[in-house]
Amino acid sequence: MSTDCNAQDPTTQGIQAGVSRRNIIKLTGAGAAAIGLSSAAGLAGAGPAFAAPASRKDLEPGDTSNGADNFYTSDQVTVKKISFKNKYEMKVVGNLFVPNNLDRGTTHPALVVGHPMGAVKEQSANLYATKMAEQGYVALSFDLSFWGESAGKPGNSVSPDIYAEDFSAAVDYLRAQVVVDKERVGAIGICGSGSFVISAAKIDPRIKAIATVSMYDMGAANRDGLNKLVTLEQRKAFIAQAAAQRDVEFAGGAIEYTGGTPDELTADSTAVDREFYDFYRTARGYHPNTTTHPALATNTKFMNFHPFNDLDLIAPRPLLFIAGDQAHSREFSEEAYRLATGPKELFWVPGAGHVDLYDRTGLIPFDKLTDFFRAQL
């Protein structure tokens, strides 16, 4: 197998020459340091389970252009609520998507699908799992620990090592299913889960092929910010704030949350804020199992998270990085592609921003994902 899945220039396929980098927002000053880029990353926290999204009648509709259909369902696919334990004996809750026409007399390839950081499986991950199940894959979406319906106290906590473990636990579950070929399990990580699935794949060779979509390196995003505009002094100030909050909570004080998608937009809201608001705060993508505020005292765990170190551990398993050519987050896919040593491809989606690839079915390259996994699993 060649070291590049792409016969063309891998950094330009799918991109129109001369397209400018719109929507790359410069986050500077104390604001970026104080939130650790959680606003730019579109972090969403988790609350208790509530009713279905339709229970909210006051939501703005959001921009549903380009086929935005986050809550897509298919009559070609059967969905089953499932749960399993990770290696820390924490309950992980997911959905299993099985094609209705699946031949149960043989085994089939399967995929694990991870949601954006702090979101829930009902946001983006279910959509991807449904679409891939339509293509014949057994697919599993799940809530990361501390979020949505999965276990972990207190909710909204940040633990990238446990997030990566959840991906491996999902692989455990899939490999135990009689209809799944144990040697043909792949994974898709969306936004922050792109970095978590890479972290998992480095030490879990059972994940045979990996695709990321609109990936955020949650470590770099919190340490350095977009375009590396967060200074060392700002980083230290955020770390000190989180450490002080630990003292407050140890003494019985209330948990404090940080950053995330704003609850309201103002004249000062950035383009990144507005992009995430249009998904998380409108009927387009809102789900009652999530807020947008990770716990401040644990958010610094991302400072020690370096998912792109030792990427050669994944080779010769293939990596596919998908990003919008207008995404404010494109630097993370570019860096991962640069550092990966095995078969790799960086695929640009023309005209797409970061959140566009969460749910805009007219832009998401499901055909590309299908071709990749058919070739590699």
Side-chain angles (χ1 to χ4, degrees):
M1 186 178 292
S2 69
T3 57
D4 197 316
C5 300
N6 185 4
Q8 304 179 34
D9 178 354
T11 62
T12 58
Q13 180 174 346
I15 187 171
Q16 300 294 328
V19 175
S20 64
R21 291 192 183 188
R22 298 189 305 270
N23 299 331
I24 296 182
I25 307 304
K26 293 185 177 181
L27 298 182
T28 58
I35 64 173
L37 259 298
S38 55
S39 175
L43 305 186
F50 295 102
S55 65
R56 281 289 301 272
K57 303 297 186 182
D58 58 336
L59 294 172
E60 302 170 44
D63 179 1
T64 56
S65 63
N66 287 304
D69 196 0
N70 179 68
F71 300 106
Y72 174 80
T73 59
S74 173
D75 58 9
Q76 303 173 47
V77 176
T78 297
V79 186
K80 178 184 178 182
K81 177 72 68 68
I82 55 116
S83 66
F84 48 90
K85 294 287 186 68
N86 65 23
K87 281 300 181 186
Y88 300 102
E89 292 295 314
M90 300 170 68
K91 181 180 178 180
V92 179
V93 178
N95 291 322
L96 187 68
F97 298 79
V98 179
N100 291 341
N101 62 357
L102 193 77
D103 179 0
R104 294 181 178 272
T106 186
T107 58
H108 305 272
L111 298 170
V112 177
V113 184
H115 57 72
M117 170 56 205
V120 288
K121 60 188 178 297
E122 291 82 6
Q123 293 168 314
S124 194
N126 277 359
L127 168 62
Y128 275 72
T130 303
K131 288 289 188 179
M132 298 310 293
E134 287 181 336
Q135 299 303 313
Y137 295 90
V138 177
L140 190 163
S141 68
F142 65 97
D143 287 330
L144 291 169
S145 294
F146 304 103
W147 306 94
E149 296 179 281
S150 289
K153 297 294 183 183
N156 302 53
S157 293
V158 172
S159 182
D161 285 347
I162 294 179
Y163 300 161
E165 161 59 25
D166 291 338
F167 272 93
S168 288
V171 173
D172 296 342
Y173 179 90
L174 284 175
R175 284 168 58 92
Q177 305 309 302
V178 295
V179 296
V180 170
D181 185 334
K182 295 179 188 296
E183 301 307 315
R184 300 172 69 195
V185 178
I188 301 172
I190 304 162
C191 187
S193 277
S195 59
F196 309 144
V197 72
I198 285 177
S199 181
K202 287 192 300 184
I203 56 173
D204 192 342
R206 303 173 306 164
I207 304 175
K208 301 299 184 180
I210 303 97
T212 70
V213 181
S214 288
M215 179 172 57
Y216 249 89
D217 174 350
M218 295 306 302
N222 280 270
R223 285 188 300 274
D224 305 320
L226 297 178
N227 298 316
K228 295 181 170 57
L229 290 173
V230 172
T231 68
L232 178 60
E233 290 73 20
Q234 290 170 332
R235 190 190 313 169
K236 286 182 176 180
F238 178 71
I239 291 171
Q241 181 186 9
Q245 181 60 26
R246 292 180 67 103
D247 289 332
V248 171
E249 294 174 17
F250 187 82
I255 296 173
E256 186 172 336
Y257 303 93
T258 183
T261 302
D263 294 319
E264 297 180 352
L265 295 178
T266 70
D268 296 326
S269 296
T270 68
V272 174
D273 284 337
R274 295 175 188 278
E275 182 180 4
F276 284 111
Y277 181 95
D278 191 74
F279 182 79
Y280 288 109
R281 297 298 189 224
T282 72
R284 172 186 164 193
Y286 169 81
H287 196 277
N289 283 5
T290 127
T291 70
T292 59
H293 311 293
L296 170 62
T298 58
N299 200 59
T300 49
K301 300 299 183 184
F302 281 135
M303 300 291 183
N304 286 336
F305 182 50
H306 296 268
F308 297 168
N309 286 359
D310 303 317
L311 278 183
D312 53 343
L313 287 169
I314 294 179
R317 289 169 291 153
L319 284 160
L320 171 64
F321 306 105
I322 296 175
D325 68 6
Q326 303 302 308
H328 66 264
S329 59
R330 57 178 286 165
E331 64 187 272
F332 303 119
S333 294
E334 291 174 325
E335 180 68 358
Y337 176 83
R338 184 183 72 81
L339 294 171
T341 60
K344 59 184 179 179
E345 181 175 356
L346 177 55
F347 184 85
W348 296 115
V349 180
H354 177 86
V355 176
D356 288 335
L357 300 187
Y358 284 13
D359 67 337
R360 297 195 191 281
T361 59
L363 293 174
I364 298 170
F366 288 113
D367 288 346
K368 180 65 181 177
L369 285 166
T370 300
D371 291 345
F372 171 72
F373 285 114
R374 281 181 179 167
Q376 304 300 340
L377 289 181

